[in-house]
Amino acid sequence: MLHLRLIVPADRTQAVLHLVENTVGTTHLAVLTGAAREPRGDVILCDVAREAADGLLHELRALGIDRDGSIAVENVDLSLSARADKAEKDAPGEGADAVLWESLTDATHEESTLSVTYLAFLTLATMIAACGVVLDNAILIVGAMAVGPEFGPLAGICTALVRRAPRLAWRSLLALVVGFAVAMAATVGFSLFMDAVGLFDAAALTADRPNTNFIYRPDWFSFVVAVLAGIAGVLSLTSAKSGALVGVAISVTTVPAAANAAVAFGYRSYKQAWGSTEQLLLNLAGIVVAGTLTLLAQKLFWARQRQR
């Protein structure tokens, strides 16, 4: 269940009440007349089944409540109520499958912001992966994958394509391109410093590296894994199962490929640098394609659910 707290201008209270009362899957409706001071209006509280929430939020925005009042949505972790159970039963579909498009857009907008924190995490992840590349250490590679925040902008691009939101697309693309450019440039400097103090060695980069040589040898399996990870990542975001994102992060070779390209470039091993770059681009493309198609499929599925 989700809990909605609405601040509604007094002249639209009856319209909102009519909307809430006629939406399947809503319950626990309460009205506090004149309780809101900034902005002025009535406060309306209600619970709604997750699978019915997206349509209700869309209608509330159509009434201008987000512009002239307020719409706040909270997850209800526990609701001991027979009415809540009935509301969830009456709502179409399953709550775990429901997509809250407004929540998804807001989340991806925040995650795709080109901030100092985002750049720091991506740069640190790339440097950790650089250490894993030189040491041929799979554990460091997996750790770097988990630290990297690049899935946020990738999900933002997928969401922007489906929702036709050019500002979100540009914001996400900027975060992705600038983020990797800064991280790779910093990692080139980091690898040269580590070489100067004797901790990195060009011979280690050109060795057999049985644990990490896949990073600069892209193949169809790379694309297949990226596609599967893109589907899993989008599903974890839309179903509010964020724990699955950790598995997605350690399934794709984006950060390790960027790190290997940076280290190889620093040692002028341009063939290996280009192979790593191909791996990076292949993974990014696979995630975007799969994520976009997954969102389109979910959008079509829920449109049919609402029609029923």
Side-chain angles (χ1 to χ4, degrees), residues 91-175:
E94 295 293 332
D97 299 331
V99 181
L100 293 179
W101 291 101
E102 299 296 340
S103 176
L104 179 63
T105 302
D106 184 70
T108 52
H109 183 277
E110 182 178 350
E111 292 295 325
S112 61
T113 300
L114 184 61
S115 63
V116 174
T117 301
Y118 168 81
L119 289 175
F121 270 112
L122 189 55
T123 301
L124 291 171
T126 308
M127 289 180 176
I128 293 172
C131 295
V133 162
V134 174
L135 296 174
D136 192 34
N137 189 314
I139 295 177
L140 290 177
I141 295 297
V142 170
M145 290 175 174
V147 172
E150 73 279 6
F151 190 78
L154 289 169
I157 292 174
C158 298
T159 304
L161 291 175
V162 173
R163 302 213 71 188
R164 299 179 183 178
R167 292 183 63 183
L168 177 59
W170 169 248
R171 186 189 190 96
S172 302
L173 185 61
L174 182 67

Side-chain angles (χ1 to χ4, degrees), residues 12 15-16 19 58-68:
R12 270 166 276 182
V16 171
L19 173 62
H58 178 76
E59 295 297 331
L60 288 171
R61 294 197 68 180
L63 290 173
I65 305 305
D66 59 321
R67 182 184 64 251
D68 302 321

Side-chain angles (χ1 to χ4, degrees), residues 5-307:
R5 185 182 70 251
L6 312 174
I7 297 179
V8 181
D11 61 336
R12 270 166 276 182
T13 297
Q14 290 304 316
V16 171
L17 289 175
H18 179 76
L19 173 62
V20 173
E21 290 172 341
N22 286 277
T23 298
V24 176
T26 59
T27 187
H28 303 154
L29 178 61
V31 182
L32 306 177
T33 304
R37 291 292 180 267
E38 178 55 39
R40 288 190 173 276
D42 302 328
V43 175
I44 297 178
L45 309 173
C46 70
D47 291 341
V48 58
R50 181 182 174 85
E51 52 268 42
D54 188 66
L56 178 58
L57 292 175
H58 178 76
E59 295 297 331
L60 288 171
R61 294 197 68 180
L63 290 173
I65 305 305
D66 59 321
R67 182 184 64 251
D68 302 321
S70 171
I71 303 173
V73 183
E74 301 171 345
N75 283 307
V76 178
D77 295 326
L78 177 63
S79 180
L80 302 178
S81 166
R83 290 181 176 274
D85 294 340
K86 184 178 184 302
E88 289 187 320
K89 183 179 179 180
D90 292 341
E94 295 293 332
D97 299 331
V99 181
L100 293 179
W101 291 101
E102 299 296 340
S103 176
L104 179 63
T105 302
D106 184 70
T108 52
H109 183 277
E110 182 178 350
E111 292 295 325
S112 61
T113 300
L114 184 61
S115 63
V116 174
T117 301
Y118 168 81
L119 289 175
F121 270 112
L122 189 55
T123 301
L124 291 171
T126 308
M127 289 180 176
I128 293 172
C131 295
V133 162
V134 174
L135 296 174
D136 192 34
N137 189 314
I139 295 177
L140 290 177
I141 295 297
V142 170
M145 290 175 174
V147 172
E150 73 279 6
F151 190 78
L154 289 169
I157 292 174
C158 298
T159 304
L161 291 175
V162 173
R163 302 213 71 188
R164 299 179 183 178
R167 292 183 63 183
L168 177 59
W170 169 248
R171 186 189 190 96
S172 302
L173 185 61
L174 182 67
L176 201 63
V177 173
V178 174
F180 271 111
V182 170
M184 292 173 72
T187 302
V188 170
F190 173 73
S191 63
L192 293 176
F193 169 77
M194 294 292 278
D195 180 78
V197 298
L199 294 176
F200 277 12
D201 188 346
L205 187 72
T206 57
D208 290 339
R209 290 168 51 196
N211 294 318
T212 57
N213 59 22
F214 68 93
I215 293 174
Y216 59 88
R217 295 176 179 174
D219 53 23
W220 279 108
F221 275 106
S222 302
F223 185 76
V224 170
V225 171
V227 167
L228 296 176
I231 296 172
V234 167
L235 288 176
S236 70
L237 286 176
T238 57
S239 64
K241 295 185 181 296
S242 58
L245 279 177
V246 177
V248 173
I250 61 177
S251 299
V252 290
T253 321
T254 48
V255 166
N260 200 91
V263 176
F265 185 83
Y267 282 123
R268 298 183 181 180
S269 179
Y270 299 124
K271 183 178 180 180
Q272 193 173 139
W274 175 243
S276 302
T277 303
E278 285 184 327
Q279 180 78 273
L280 173 62
L281 296 176
L282 194 64
N283 276 265
L284 294 177
I287 293 173
V288 170
V289 170
T292 302
L293 292 177
T294 301
L295 287 176
L296 286 172
Q298 289 180 297
K299 187 176 182 179
L300 178 61
F301 172 78
W302 279 102
R304 290 182 175 180
Q305 286 289 92
R306 282 196 293 270
Q307 288 177 356

